[in-house]
Amino acid sequence: MTRIIVSACLAGVNCTYRGDNNLSFDLLRLIDRFILIPVCPEQLGGLATPRNPAEIKLSSDWISRKIVTDQYGNDLTSQFNKGAEEVLKISRFLRANLAILKSRSPSCGCRGVYDGSFSGIMVDGMGITAELLMKNGIEVYSEDEISFLL
Ligand code: SF4
């Protein structure tokens, strides 16, 4: 069976920054036909749950280096990068070439992220984990795009 990395919060794990989840009933419809592997990159990066919300900072070096901060300006980039590397490691170990990740997250978002101003403004771009997986040949989709698998 095809193995798919999924954002753990979409599988009902209480790992979001608020300490709750984003259970996706569409995702549940896949469990008989695919092996779903739940991961939370922010927890794997060593962040606590619950935790402060974080966003990718929009800066002049936006393309070359992404900086992730919480709303108090604390730099969480290293934890986000570590979490992404751990998810990539798990993906390779289990030979998962597909990922379904939570939209808009600074880790998991794959079709736009918040702009770093903590004011709800979306910009083009990907979360840290979503981008690393994509750059390593893993197909990445959001939970809103999985109708082709249902
Ligand atoms: S990092 Fe990803 S899996 Fe973890 S709570 Fe955020 S969106 Fe969900």
Side-chain angles (χ1 to χ4, degrees):
M1 272 202 278
T2 301
R3 299 174 176 91
I4 305 177
I5 293 287
V6 301
S7 293
C9 59
L10 294 175
V13 178
N14 290 330
C15 57
T16 75
Y17 73 90
R18 296 178 304 262
D20 60 4
N21 65 74
N22 298 302
L23 180 63
S24 164
F25 290 99
D26 279 344
L27 192 70
L28 292 182
R29 293 171 62 190
L30 303 181
I31 57 177
D32 290 333
R33 291 179 293 120
F34 300 93
I35 296 172
L36 305 181
I37 305 152
V39 295
C40 175
E42 292 176 24
Q43 289 186 334
L44 286 166
L47 295 172
T49 304
R51 54 191 171 275
N52 292 328
E55 295 189 3
I56 296 172
K57 198 172 175 60
L58 187 59
S59 66
S60 56
D61 61 357
W62 165 254
I63 300 297
S64 59
R65 183 168 181 264
K66 292 182 172 180
I67 297 168
V68 187
T69 69
D70 67 15
Q71 74 269 47
Y72 304 111
N74 296 308
D75 190 339
L76 305 173
T77 309
S78 64
Q79 291 94 327
F80 273 67
N81 286 337
K82 178 175 185 288
E85 293 287 349
E86 293 299 296
V87 172
L88 179 60
K89 207 183 296 179
I90 292 167
S91 306
R92 286 174 167 162
F93 180 71
L94 294 172
R95 284 175 281 132
N97 292 316
L98 190 61
I100 299 170
L101 302 180
K102 176 73 183 75
S103 59
R104 297 184 294 279
S105 156
S107 290
C108 295
C110 63
R111 304 280 182 263
V113 291
Y114 292 111
D115 72 347
S117 65
F118 295 89
S119 53
I121 298 170
M122 298 285 298
V123 292
D124 288 340
M126 300 184 80
I128 305 292
T129 295
E131 184 172 53
L132 185 67
L133 295 185
M134 190 200 67
K135 283 180 174 172
N136 282 275
I138 296 170
E139 288 181 54
V140 178
Y141 299 94
S142 81
E143 78 278 21
D144 302 320
E145 300 176 300
I146 60 175
S147 54
F148 73 97
L149 293 171
L150 296 175

